[in-house]
Amino acid sequence: MSKPKAPYRKTEIAGRKLSPETMMMSYGYSPQLSEWSIKAPVFLTSTFAFESAEAGAAFFRVMGGRRQEGDPESAGLMYSRFNNPNVEVLEDRLTLFDHAEDAAVFSSGMGAISTTLMALAPAGSVVLHSTPLYGGTETLIRKVMPNYGIRNVDFFAAAEEDEVWAAAEEAMKLGPVTVIYTETPTNPTNDLVDLQMIRKIANRIGEKQNGTVPAVVVDNTFLGPVNQQPIDLGADILVYSLTKYVGGHSDLIAGAAMGRSDLMAKIRSLRSSIGTNLDPHTAWMLMRSLETVTLRMNAATENAKKVAEFLAKHPKIERVRYLGFLEPGSRAAEIHARQSKAAGSTFAFDVAGGQAGAFKFLNSLQVVKLAVSLGGTETLICHPGSTTHAAVDPELQERCGYTPGMVRISIGIEDPDDLIADIGQALDQV
């Protein structure tokens, strides 16, 4: 089961390339190996029996990078911290939307981000990163990683090439730049990073560093996997909070990294060492969710457009940070059109009256759920400055364009008219 045979990895039929939506139903899984069950069973086991002592030894050699002549190309099933049938099928399927060479799943989005960064940025190196980022990522890069000898230099997400290059030159003075980390669109402000520009900057840094090109790592949680594929734009590694749109039902915690196989080998090795792996049951739930991710994201995107249009006309809303409202002909609109297929369904807006006005509005909602997270079937809303991004220094919040009245909403798949009615009555209370 660990490496299904070719018929179960079918990517085309009658000369037609199969879509990811079709392959989500069967890719990487063989009913024949599991009592002909249409869906993969949950393999709730900690360990796997070896056919022989020699086979077990060979598996561990392969996993440890000590492959000998006659050993298999890849390690078979060994121990669920290293590999598991549910995890392996999930990882196979995750590569399909984003055109990744390999994928690894983790116990949380921050598990994926921290393992990726620690695997690719050794002590003494520098991470060049955009800002704003998700609050947990900001804290990790700015406050935790320096404790391990990994320094950082930032640039504003919407910065143009000369500004980013100036930050890169500053970073190279501190040590070798091994990672450029970005998030686009940004959480929660929906600023955009030009990924083709970042690829160009990475290559320029490589020329200055005698061929040591930093890995371009992109958090693709907001629009991926359906509406944006950064690997096609030059990214080396993508990271995800699978908790969000991929999981999509607010009932699990998970993360993923995917991309170039040589870099993924380092990330996977560190995952095994520090134990940030995902459990089989959550992997099984994610396989279920992947079957409907396109349907859910498309429905939420349509709903978000209607809600954003309502908010844009409301007198108690000062600003709507929705990608569908980018000024035609602007640099941001050009980047969005080049990089993304849709505006997505998570955005921020600024309520009149500052934090007091925002809190009054939030406390008056009856259908929309007041909670952190995003990408679920239900609509969720929060005040980032006091919740998800509360650990971000106030000076940085101001620099990144946070306002006291800014709230973030993730539109779900409810009837949009019901959402508009609820938001309208709550704004009446402000």
Side-chain angles (χ1 to χ4, degrees):
M1 176 82 187
S2 64
K3 293 297 176 186
K5 298 184 185 298
Y8 309 109
R9 301 170 80 93
K10 187 179 291 293
T11 59
E12 64 176 55
I13 187 166
R16 173 184 170 82
K17 185 177 180 181
L18 297 175
S19 69
E21 288 79 6
T22 298
M23 290 189 283
M24 287 306 121
M25 306 303 168
S26 58
Y27 187 83
Y29 169 67
S30 167
Q32 184 178 2
L33 296 177
S34 297
E35 302 293 336
W36 296 99
S37 171
I38 288 295
K39 300 298 184 186
V42 185
F43 286 83
L44 294 178
T45 183
S46 60
T47 193
F48 300 87
F50 300 130
E51 184 177 354
S52 66
E54 290 79 5
F59 288 173
F60 272 81
R61 284 196 299 269
V62 171
M63 185 193 70
R66 305 182 304 277
R67 187 173 179 274
Q68 299 178 3
E69 185 176 353
D71 285 347
E73 288 294 325
S74 58
L77 294 167
M78 304 159 60
Y79 184 67
S80 282
R81 178 159 56 87
F82 306 141
N83 53 9
N84 175 282
N86 299 112
V87 167
E88 290 190 341
V89 174
L90 172 62
E91 290 173 346
D92 280 347
R93 293 182 186 178
L94 283 171
T95 65
L96 299 175
F97 278 108
D98 283 299
H99 315 131
E101 293 177 1
D102 191 15
V105 290
F106 298 82
S107 54
S108 68
M110 284 308 303
I113 292 167
S114 60
T115 306
T116 296
L117 286 173
M118 297 298 284
L120 302 181
S125 68
V126 183
V127 174
L128 177 64
H129 66 97
S130 61
T131 192
L133 299 170
Y134 166 61
T137 312
E138 293 273 14
T139 299
L140 173 70
I141 292 175
R142 296 179 185 275
K143 298 180 180 180
V144 177
M145 292 176 65
N147 296 330
Y148 299 90
I150 305 164
R151 305 178 79 173
N152 65 85
V153 173
D154 72 18
F155 59 90
F156 181 59
E160 298 196 34
E161 186 173 342
D162 58 344
E163 297 174 72
V164 179
W165 181 246
E169 292 186 311
E170 179 186 348
M172 285 185 282
K173 293 175 184 178
L174 301 178
V177 178
T178 56
V179 172
I180 303 180
Y181 186 95
T182 71
E183 174 183 291
T184 185
T186 58
N187 182 359
T189 54
N190 263 350
D191 294 301
L192 298 173
V193 179
D194 185 339
L195 294 178
Q196 291 180 336
M197 177 192 71
I198 295 301
R199 179 72 265 165
K200 182 179 177 181
I201 294 287
N203 293 340
R204 287 181 67 185
I205 292 173
E207 293 172 0
K208 290 279 189 178
Q209 295 184 158
N210 299 317
T212 302
V213 182
V216 175
V217 180
V218 179
D219 185 332
N220 199 36
T221 298
F222 255 40
L223 288 181
V226 174
N227 292 320
Q228 182 171 266
Q229 286 85 40
I231 288 174
D232 295 343
L233 300 165
D236 297 303
I237 296 292
L238 305 184
V239 290
Y240 277 95
S241 171
L242 299 178
T243 309
K244 310 304 193 292
Y245 287 103
V246 175
H249 294 77
S250 300
D251 56 6
L252 59 84
I253 300 288
M258 63 191 72
R260 275 174 43 191
S261 57
D262 60 327
L263 300 179
M264 287 304 306
K266 297 179 181 180
I267 296 167
R268 188 182 297 276
S269 176
L270 185 59
R271 181 189 69 174
S272 295
S273 296
I274 63 177
T276 49
N277 56 290
L278 185 65
D279 68 280
H281 184 257
T282 304
W284 182 91
M285 293 175 71
L286 283 160
M287 290 160 60
R288 164 216 64 182
S289 295
L290 276 170
E291 296 180 359
T292 61
V293 64
T294 298
L295 297 174
R296 289 184 285 102
M297 291 190 74
N298 286 345
T301 295
E302 286 299 313
N303 284 353
K305 182 175 184 291
K306 296 176 182 178
V307 173
E309 288 171 346
F310 167 78
L311 289 167
K313 299 174 183 176
H314 201 285
K316 293 181 181 177
I317 299 300
E318 296 176 342
R319 179 183 180 187
V320 181
R321 307 174 191 228
Y322 173 64
L323 291 173
F325 294 160
L326 295 172
E327 182 181 351
S330 66
R331 178 171 178 265
E334 186 274 326
I335 293 171
H336 178 53
R338 172 161 40 89
Q339 294 186 171
S340 312
K341 300 173 184 175
S345 59
T346 297
F347 59 93
F349 57 93
D350 298 33
V351 180
Q355 182 169 301
F359 278 25
K360 181 68 174 178
F361 163 68
L362 294 172
N363 290 336
S364 300
L365 291 165
Q366 298 177 39
V367 174
V368 177
K369 306 296 190 300
L370 178 54
V372 297
S373 197
L374 56 97
T377 51
E378 68 289 297
T379 298
L380 300 177
I381 197 166
C382 70
H383 183 262
S386 61
T387 57
T388 56
H389 294 67
V392 177
D393 291 336
E395 296 81 4
L396 181 58
Q397 288 194 23
E398 184 176 356
R399 176 184 163 206
C400 292
Y402 293 33
T403 66
M406 184 182 71
V407 299
R408 185 190 72 191
I409 192 166
S410 171
I411 302 296
I413 60 173
E414 305 96 334
D415 185 315
D417 292 334
D418 292 340
L419 298 176
I420 289 169
D422 188 33
I423 291 168
Q425 66 82 25
L427 286 170
D428 289 342
Q429 310 306 313
V430 177

mmCIF file with all atom_site columns, all heavy atoms in Angstrom, residues 1 25 29-43 93 284:
data_model
loop_
_atom_site.group_PDB
_atom_site.id
_atom_site.type_symbol
_atom_site.label_atom_id
_atom_site.label_alt_id
_atom_site.label_comp_id
_atom_site.label_asym_id
_atom_site.label_entity_id
_atom_site.label_seq_id
_atom_site.pdbx_PDB_ins_code
_atom_site.Cartn_x
_atom_site.Cartn_y
_atom_site.Cartn_z
_atom_site.occupancy
_atom_site.B_iso_or_equiv
_atom_site.pdbx_formal_charge
_atom_site.auth_seq_id
_atom_site.auth_comp_id
_atom_site.auth_asym_id
_atom_site.auth_atom_id
_atom_site.pdbx_PDB_model_num
ATOM 1   N N   . MET A 1 1   ? 0.831   -1.220 0.000  1.00 0.00 ? 1   MET A N   1
ATOM 2   C CA  . MET A 1 1   ? 0.000   0.000  0.000  1.00 0.00 ? 1   MET A CA  1
ATOM 3   C C   . MET A 1 1   ? 0.857   1.258  0.000  1.00 0.00 ? 1   MET A C   1
ATOM 4   O O   . MET A 1 1   ? 0.420   2.313  -0.424 1.00 0.00 ? 1   MET A O   1
ATOM 5   C CB  . MET A 1 1   ? -0.897  -0.031 1.246  1.00 0.00 ? 1   MET A CB  1
ATOM 6   C CG  . MET A 1 1   ? -1.743  1.196  1.441  1.00 0.00 ? 1   MET A CG  1
ATOM 7   S SD  . MET A 1 1   ? -3.224  1.173  0.466  1.00 0.00 ? 1   MET A SD  1
ATOM 8   C CE  . MET A 1 1   ? -3.805  2.811  0.780  1.00 0.00 ? 1   MET A CE  1
ATOM 9   N N   . MET A 1 25  ? -10.456 11.542 -6.264 1.00 0.00 ? 25  MET A N   1
ATOM 10  C CA  . MET A 1 25  ? -11.324 10.428 -5.878 1.00 0.00 ? 25  MET A CA  1
ATOM 11  C C   . MET A 1 25  ? -10.576 9.097  -5.769 1.00 0.00 ? 25  MET A C   1
ATOM 12  O O   . MET A 1 25  ? -11.048 8.178  -5.095 1.00 0.00 ? 25  MET A O   1
ATOM 13  C CB  . MET A 1 25  ? -12.459 10.275 -6.892 1.00 0.00 ? 25  MET A CB  1
ATOM 14  C CG  . MET A 1 25  ? -13.253 11.536 -7.131 1.00 0.00 ? 25  MET A CG  1
ATOM 15  S SD  . MET A 1 25  ? -13.988 12.211 -5.619 1.00 0.00 ? 25  MET A SD  1
ATOM 16  C CE  . MET A 1 25  ? -14.495 13.829 -6.198 1.00 0.00 ? 25  MET A CE  1
ATOM 17  N N   . TYR A 1 29  ? -4.440  5.323  -4.482 1.00 0.00 ? 29  TYR A N   1
ATOM 18  C CA  . TYR A 1 29  ? -5.077  4.324  -3.608 1.00 0.00 ? 29  TYR A CA  1
ATOM 19  C C   . TYR A 1 29  ? -5.627  3.176  -4.436 1.00 0.00 ? 29  TYR A C   1
ATOM 20  O O   . TYR A 1 29  ? -6.244  3.399  -5.485 1.00 0.00 ? 29  TYR A O   1
ATOM 21  C CB  . TYR A 1 29  ? -6.210  4.958  -2.801 1.00 0.00 ? 29  TYR A CB  1
ATOM 22  C CG  . TYR A 1 29  ? -7.076  3.945  -2.093 1.00 0.00 ? 29  TYR A CG  1
ATOM 23  C CD1 . TYR A 1 29  ? -6.563  3.167  -1.050 1.00 0.00 ? 29  TYR A CD1 1
ATOM 24  C CD2 . TYR A 1 29  ? -8.392  3.723  -2.491 1.00 0.00 ? 29  TYR A CD2 1
ATOM 25  C CE1 . TYR A 1 29  ? -7.347  2.211  -0.420 1.00 0.00 ? 29  TYR A CE1 1
ATOM 26  C CE2 . TYR A 1 29  ? -9.182  2.776  -1.860 1.00 0.00 ? 29  TYR A CE2 1
ATOM 27  C CZ  . TYR A 1 29  ? -8.653  2.018  -0.824 1.00 0.00 ? 29  TYR A CZ  1
ATOM 28  O OH  . TYR A 1 29  ? -9.418  1.067  -0.208 1.00 0.00 ? 29  TYR A OH  1
ATOM 29  N N   . SER A 1 30  ? -5.442  1.948  -3.953 1.00 0.00 ? 30  SER A N   1
ATOM 30  C CA  . SER A 1 30  ? -5.930  0.757  -4.636 1.00 0.00 ? 30  SER A CA  1
ATOM 31  C C   . SER A 1 30  ? -6.959  0.023  -3.780 1.00 0.00 ? 30  SER A C   1
ATOM 32  O O   . SER A 1 30  ? -6.611  -0.519 -2.721 1.00 0.00 ? 30  SER A O   1
ATOM 33  C CB  . SER A 1 30  ? -4.770  -0.200 -4.932 1.00 0.00 ? 30  SER A CB  1
ATOM 34  O OG  . SER A 1 30  ? -5.263  -1.459 -5.316 1.00 0.00 ? 30  SER A OG  1
ATOM 35  N N   . PRO A 1 31  ? -8.232  -0.037 -4.186 1.00 0.00 ? 31  PRO A N   1
ATOM 36  C CA  . PRO A 1 31  ? -9.213  -0.832 -3.439 1.00 0.00 ? 31  PRO A CA  1
ATOM 37  C C   . PRO A 1 31  ? -8.791  -2.287 -3.281 1.00 0.00 ? 31  PRO A C   1
ATOM 38  O O   . PRO A 1 31  ? -9.103  -2.927 -2.279 1.00 0.00 ? 31  PRO A O   1
ATOM 39  C CB  . PRO A 1 31  ? -10.487 -0.703 -4.282 1.00 0.00 ? 31  PRO A CB  1
ATOM 40  C CG  . PRO A 1 31  ? -10.323 0.584  -5.008 1.00 0.00 ? 31  PRO A CG  1
ATOM 41  C CD  . PRO A 1 31  ? -8.854  0.682  -5.311 1.00 0.00 ? 31  PRO A CD  1
ATOM 42  N N   . GLN A 1 32  ? -8.063  -2.804 -4.257 1.00 0.00 ? 32  GLN A N   1
ATOM 43  C CA  . GLN A 1 32  ? -7.641  -4.207 -4.221 1.00 0.00 ? 32  GLN A CA  1
ATOM 44  C C   . GLN A 1 32  ? -6.794  -4.529 -2.995 1.00 0.00 ? 32  GLN A C   1
ATOM 45  O O   . GLN A 1 32  ? -6.820  -5.644 -2.482 1.00 0.00 ? 32  GLN A O   1
ATOM 46  C CB  . GLN A 1 32  ? -6.851  -4.522 -5.492 1.00 0.00 ? 32  GLN A CB  1
ATOM 47  C CG  . GLN A 1 32  ? -6.444  -5.987 -5.629 1.00 0.00 ? 32  GLN A CG  1
ATOM 48  C CD  . GLN A 1 32  ? -5.710  -6.252 -6.930 1.00 0.00 ? 32  GLN A CD  1
ATOM 49  O OE1 . GLN A 1 32  ? -5.476  -5.328 -7.705 1.00 0.00 ? 32  GLN A OE1 1
ATOM 50  N NE2 . GLN A 1 32  ? -5.350  -7.488 -7.161 1.00 0.00 ? 32  GLN A NE2 1
ATOM 51  N N   . LEU A 1 33  ? -6.050  -3.531 -2.506 1.00 0.00 ? 33  LEU A N   1
ATOM 52  C CA  . LEU A 1 33  ? -5.167  -3.757 -1.360 1.00 0.00 ? 33  LEU A CA  1
ATOM 53  C C   . LEU A 1 33  ? -5.874  -3.579 -0.019 1.00 0.00 ? 33  LEU A C   1
ATOM 54  O O   . LEU A 1 33  ? -5.266  -3.766 1.026  1.00 0.00 ? 33  LEU A O   1
ATOM 55  C CB  . LEU A 1 33  ? -3.963  -2.803 -1.439 1.00 0.00 ? 33  LEU A CB  1
ATOM 56  C CG  . LEU A 1 33  ? -3.035  -3.004 -2.653 1.00 0.00 ? 33  LEU A CG  1
ATOM 57  C CD1 . LEU A 1 33  ? -1.939  -1.969 -2.649 1.00 0.00 ? 33  LEU A CD1 1
ATOM 58  C CD2 . LEU A 1 33  ? -2.454  -4.420 -2.652 1.00 0.00 ? 33  LEU A CD2 1
ATOM 59  N N   . SER A 1 34  ? -7.156  -3.203 -0.051 1.00 0.00 ? 34  SER A N   1
ATOM 60  C CA  . SER A 1 34  ? -7.882  -2.940 1.196  1.00 0.00 ? 34  SER A CA  1
ATOM 61  C C   . SER A 1 34  ? -9.283  -3.525 1.142  1.00 0.00 ? 34  SER A C   1
ATOM 62  O O   . SER A 1 34  ? -10.281 -2.832 1.335  1.00 0.00 ? 34  SER A O   1
ATOM 63  C CB  . SER A 1 34  ? -7.942  -1.432 1.464  1.00 0.00 ? 34  SER A CB  1
ATOM 64  O OG  . SER A 1 34  ? -6.655  -0.910 1.636  1.00 0.00 ? 34  SER A OG  1
ATOM 65  N N   . GLU A 1 35  ? -9.351  -4.829 0.863  1.00 0.00 ? 35  GLU A N   1
ATOM 66  C CA  . GLU A 1 35  ? -10.629 -5.551 0.851  1.00 0.00 ? 35  GLU A CA  1
ATOM 67  C C   . GLU A 1 35  ? -11.635 -4.908 -0.103 1.00 0.00 ? 35  GLU A C   1
ATOM 68  O O   . GLU A 1 35  ? -12.836 -4.950 0.125  1.00 0.00 ? 35  GLU A O   1
ATOM 69  C CB  . GLU A 1 35  ? -11.221 -5.628 2.270  1.00 0.00 ? 35  GLU A CB  1
ATOM 70  C CG  . GLU A 1 35  ? -10.326 -6.304 3.289  1.00 0.00 ? 35  GLU A CG  1
ATOM 71  C CD  . GLU A 1 35  ? -10.127 -7.789 3.008  1.00 0.00 ? 35  GLU A CD  1
ATOM 72  O OE1 . GLU A 1 35  ? -10.992 -8.375 2.343  1.00 0.00 ? 35  GLU A OE1 1
ATOM 73  O OE2 . GLU A 1 35  ? -9.098  -8.338 3.460  1.00 0.00 ? 35  GLU A OE2 1
ATOM 74  N N   . TRP A 1 36  ? -11.153 -4.280 -1.176 1.00 0.00 ? 36  TRP A N   1
ATOM 75  C CA  . TRP A 1 36  ? -11.975 -3.639 -2.197 1.00 0.00 ? 36  TRP A CA  1
ATOM 76  C C   . TRP A 1 36  ? -12.827 -2.481 -1.672 1.00 0.00 ? 36  TRP A C   1
ATOM 77  O O   . TRP A 1 36  ? -13.850 -2.118 -2.252 1.00 0.00 ? 36  TRP A O   1
ATOM 78  C CB  . TRP A 1 36  ? -12.851 -4.669 -2.921 1.00 0.00 ? 36  TRP A CB  1
ATOM 79  C CG  . TRP A 1 36  ? -12.027 -5.661 -3.673 1.00 0.00 ? 36  TRP A CG  1
ATOM 80  C CD1 . TRP A 1 36  ? -11.683 -6.920 -3.271 1.00 0.00 ? 36  TRP A CD1 1
ATOM 81  C CD2 . TRP A 1 36  ? -11.396 -5.468 -4.936 1.00 0.00 ? 36  TRP A CD2 1
ATOM 82  N NE1 . TRP A 1 36  ? -10.873 -7.535 -4.201 1.00 0.00 ? 36  TRP A NE1 1
ATOM 83  C CE2 . TRP A 1 36  ? -10.681 -6.664 -5.248 1.00 0.00 ? 36  TRP A CE2 1
ATOM 84  C CE3 . TRP A 1 36  ? -11.351 -4.427 -5.865 1.00 0.00 ? 36  TRP A CE3 1
ATOM 85  C CZ2 . TRP A 1 36  ? -9.953  -6.825 -6.415 1.00 0.00 ? 36  TRP A CZ2 1
ATOM 86  C CZ3 . TRP A 1 36  ? -10.633 -4.584 -7.028 1.00 0.00 ? 36  TRP A CZ3 1
ATOM 87  C CH2 . TRP A 1 36  ? -9.942  -5.774 -7.298 1.00 0.00 ? 36  TRP A CH2 1
ATOM 88  N N   . SER A 1 37  ? -12.395 -1.881 -0.575 1.00 0.00 ? 37  SER A N   1
ATOM 89  C CA  . SER A 1 37  ? -13.082 -0.700 -0.051 1.00 0.00 ? 37  SER A CA  1
ATOM 90  C C   . SER A 1 37  ? -12.875 0.479  -0.990 1.00 0.00 ? 37  SER A C   1
ATOM 91  O O   . SER A 1 37  ? -11.745 0.787  -1.374 1.00 0.00 ? 37  SER A O   1
ATOM 92  C CB  . SER A 1 37  ? -12.528 -0.358 1.336  1.00 0.00 ? 37  SER A CB  1
ATOM 93  O OG  . SER A 1 37  ? -13.029 0.882  1.783  1.00 0.00 ? 37  SER A OG  1
ATOM 94  N N   . ILE A 1 38  ? -13.970 1.160  -1.382 1.00 0.00 ? 38  ILE A N   1
ATOM 95  C CA  . ILE A 1 38  ? -13.865 2.309  -2.276 1.00 0.00 ? 38  ILE A CA  1
ATOM 96  C C   . ILE A 1 38  ? -13.021 3.413  -1.648 1.00 0.00 ? 38  ILE A C   1
ATOM 97  O O   . ILE A 1 38  ? -12.215 4.052  -2.310 1.00 0.00 ? 38  ILE A O   1
ATOM 98  C CB  . ILE A 1 38  ? -15.269 2.840  -2.633 1.00 0.00 ? 38  ILE A CB  1
ATOM 99  C CG1 . ILE A 1 38  ? -15.968 1.862  -3.573 1.00 0.00 ? 38  ILE A CG1 1
ATOM 100 C CG2 . ILE A 1 38  ? -15.185 4.228  -3.279 1.00 0.00 ? 38  ILE A CG2 1
ATOM 101 C CD1 . ILE A 1 38  ? -15.300 1.723  -4.936 1.00 0.00 ? 38  ILE A CD1 1
ATOM 102 N N   . LYS A 1 39  ? -13.233 3.652  -0.363 1.00 0.00 ? 39  LYS A N   1
ATOM 103 C CA  . LYS A 1 39  ? -12.440 4.644  0.359  1.00 0.00 ? 39  LYS A CA  1
ATOM 104 C C   . LYS A 1 39  ? -11.354 3.938  1.160  1.00 0.00 ? 39  LYS A C   1
ATOM 105 O O   . LYS A 1 39  ? -11.565 2.837  1.693  1.00 0.00 ? 39  LYS A O   1
ATOM 106 C CB  . LYS A 1 39  ? -13.314 5.478  1.303  1.00 0.00 ? 39  LYS A CB  1
ATOM 107 C CG  . LYS A 1 39  ? -14.414 6.255  0.605  1.00 0.00 ? 39  LYS A CG  1
ATOM 108 C CD  . LYS A 1 39  ? -13.859 7.276  -0.374 1.00 0.00 ? 39  LYS A CD  1
ATOM 109 C CE  . LYS A 1 39  ? -14.976 8.103  -0.998 1.00 0.00 ? 39  LYS A CE  1
ATOM 110 N NZ  . LYS A 1 39  ? -14.480 9.000  -2.056 1.00 0.00 ? 39  LYS A NZ  1
ATOM 111 N N   . ALA A 1 40  ? -10.205 4.599  1.272  1.00 0.00 ? 40  ALA A N   1
ATOM 112 C CA  . ALA A 1 40  ? -9.113  4.018  2.058  1.00 0.00 ? 40  ALA A CA  1
ATOM 113 C C   . ALA A 1 40  ? -9.531  3.886  3.514  1.00 0.00 ? 40  ALA A C   1
ATOM 114 O O   . ALA A 1 40  ? -10.103 4.818  4.078  1.00 0.00 ? 40  ALA A O   1
ATOM 115 C CB  . ALA A 1 40  ? -7.877  4.896  1.953  1.00 0.00 ? 40  ALA A CB  1
ATOM 116 N N   . PRO A 1 41  ? -9.261  2.743  4.139  1.00 0.00 ? 41  PRO A N   1
ATOM 117 C CA  . PRO A 1 41  ? -9.509  2.626  5.576  1.00 0.00 ? 41  PRO A CA  1
ATOM 118 C C   . PRO A 1 41  ? -8.582  3.562  6.343  1.00 0.00 ? 41  PRO A C   1
ATOM 119 O O   . PRO A 1 41  ? -7.594  4.065  5.801  1.00 0.00 ? 41  PRO A O   1
ATOM 120 C CB  . PRO A 1 41  ? -9.161  1.162  5.876  1.00 0.00 ? 41  PRO A CB  1
ATOM 121 C CG  . PRO A 1 41  ? -9.062  0.485  4.557  1.00 0.00 ? 41  PRO A CG  1
ATOM 122 C CD  . PRO A 1 41  ? -8.696  1.528  3.562  1.00 0.00 ? 41  PRO A CD  1
ATOM 123 N N   . VAL A 1 42  ? -8.896  3.800  7.615  1.00 0.00 ? 42  VAL A N   1
ATOM 124 C CA  . VAL A 1 42  ? -7.990  4.545  8.479  1.00 0.00 ? 42  VAL A CA  1
ATOM 125 C C   . VAL A 1 42  ? -7.008  3.549  9.091  1.00 0.00 ? 42  VAL A C   1
ATOM 126 O O   . VAL A 1 42  ? -7.423  2.608  9.783  1.00 0.00 ? 42  VAL A O   1
ATOM 127 C CB  . VAL A 1 42  ? -8.753  5.289  9.594  1.00 0.00 ? 42  VAL A CB  1
ATOM 128 C CG1 . VAL A 1 42  ? -7.785  6.152  10.391 1.00 0.00 ? 42  VAL A CG1 1
ATOM 129 C CG2 . VAL A 1 42  ? -9.863  6.134  9.010  1.00 0.00 ? 42  VAL A CG2 1
ATOM 130 N N   . PHE A 1 43  ? -5.738  3.726  8.822  1.00 0.00 ? 43  PHE A N   1
ATOM 131 C CA  . PHE A 1 43  ? -4.715  2.805  9.325  1.00 0.00 ? 43  PHE A CA  1
ATOM 132 C C   . PHE A 1 43  ? -4.222  3.291  10.677 1.00 0.00 ? 43  PHE A C   1
ATOM 133 O O   . PHE A 1 43  ? -3.200  3.983  10.780 1.00 0.00 ? 43  PHE A O   1
ATOM 134 C CB  . PHE A 1 43  ? -3.573  2.697  8.313  1.00 0.00 ? 43  PHE A CB  1
ATOM 135 C CG  . PHE A 1 43  ? -3.932  1.892  7.095  1.00 0.00 ? 43  PHE A CG  1
ATOM 136 C CD1 . PHE A 1 43  ? -4.612  2.479  6.033  1.00 0.00 ? 43  PHE A CD1 1
ATOM 137 C CD2 . PHE A 1 43  ? -3.608  0.549  7.009  1.00 0.00 ? 43  PHE A CD2 1
ATOM 138 C CE1 . PHE A 1 43  ? -4.952  1.747  4.906  1.00 0.00 ? 43  PHE A CE1 1
ATOM 139 C CE2 . PHE A 1 43  ? -3.947  -0.204 5.882  1.00 0.00 ? 43  PHE A CE2 1
ATOM 140 C CZ  . PHE A 1 43  ? -4.620  0.404  4.835  1.00 0.00 ? 43  PHE A CZ  1
ATOM 141 N N   . ARG A 1 93  ? -1.880  13.157 -3.298 1.00 0.00 ? 93  ARG A N   1
ATOM 142 C CA  . ARG A 1 93  ? -2.970  13.959 -3.861 1.00 0.00 ? 93  ARG A CA  1
ATOM 143 C C   . ARG A 1 93  ? -2.710  15.453 -3.714 1.00 0.00 ? 93  ARG A C   1
ATOM 144 O O   . ARG A 1 93  ? -3.105  16.248 -4.574 1.00 0.00 ? 93  ARG A O   1
ATOM 145 C CB  . ARG A 1 93  ? -4.300  13.558 -3.221 1.00 0.00 ? 93  ARG A CB  1
ATOM 146 C CG  . ARG A 1 93  ? -4.696  12.149 -3.607 1.00 0.00 ? 93  ARG A CG  1
ATOM 147 C CD  . ARG A 1 93  ? -6.035  11.713 -3.029 1.00 0.00 ? 93  ARG A CD  1
ATOM 148 N NE  . ARG A 1 93  ? -6.272  10.299 -3.339 1.00 0.00 ? 93  ARG A NE  1
ATOM 149 C CZ  . ARG A 1 93  ? -7.326  9.613  -2.938 1.00 0.00 ? 93  ARG A CZ  1
ATOM 150 N NH1 . ARG A 1 93  ? -8.273  10.203 -2.193 1.00 0.00 ? 93  ARG A NH1 1
ATOM 151 N NH2 . ARG A 1 93  ? -7.464  8.327  -3.263 1.00 0.00 ? 93  ARG A NH2 1
ATOM 152 N N   . TRP A 1 284 ? -6.893  10.977 6.860  1.00 0.00 ? 284 TRP A N   1
ATOM 153 C CA  . TRP A 1 284 ? -8.095  10.404 6.224  1.00 0.00 ? 284 TRP A CA  1
ATOM 154 C C   . TRP A 1 284 ? -9.172  11.475 6.053  1.00 0.00 ? 284 TRP A C   1
ATOM 155 O O   . TRP A 1 284 ? -9.816  11.574 4.998  1.00 0.00 ? 284 TRP A O   1
ATOM 156 C CB  . TRP A 1 284 ? -8.618  9.256  7.080  1.00 0.00 ? 284 TRP A CB  1
ATOM 157 C CG  . TRP A 1 284 ? -9.811  8.557  6.514  1.00 0.00 ? 284 TRP A CG  1
ATOM 158 C CD1 . TRP A 1 284 ? -9.829  7.470  5.696  1.00 0.00 ? 284 TRP A CD1 1
ATOM 159 C CD2 . TRP A 1 284 ? -11.201 8.890  6.764  1.00 0.00 ? 284 TRP A CD2 1
ATOM 160 N NE1 . TRP A 1 284 ? -11.119 7.106  5.403  1.00 0.00 ? 284 TRP A NE1 1
ATOM 161 C CE2 . TRP A 1 284 ? -11.989 7.952  6.038  1.00 0.00 ? 284 TRP A CE2 1
ATOM 162 C CE3 . TRP A 1 284 ? -11.836 9.871  7.515  1.00 0.00 ? 284 TRP A CE3 1
ATOM 163 C CZ2 . TRP A 1 284 ? -13.369 7.991  6.057  1.00 0.00 ? 284 TRP A CZ2 1
ATOM 164 C CZ3 . TRP A 1 284 ? -13.223 9.917  7.523  1.00 0.00 ? 284 TRP A CZ3 1
ATOM 165 C CH2 . TRP A 1 284 ? -13.979 8.974  6.806  1.00 0.00 ? 284 TRP A CH2 1
#
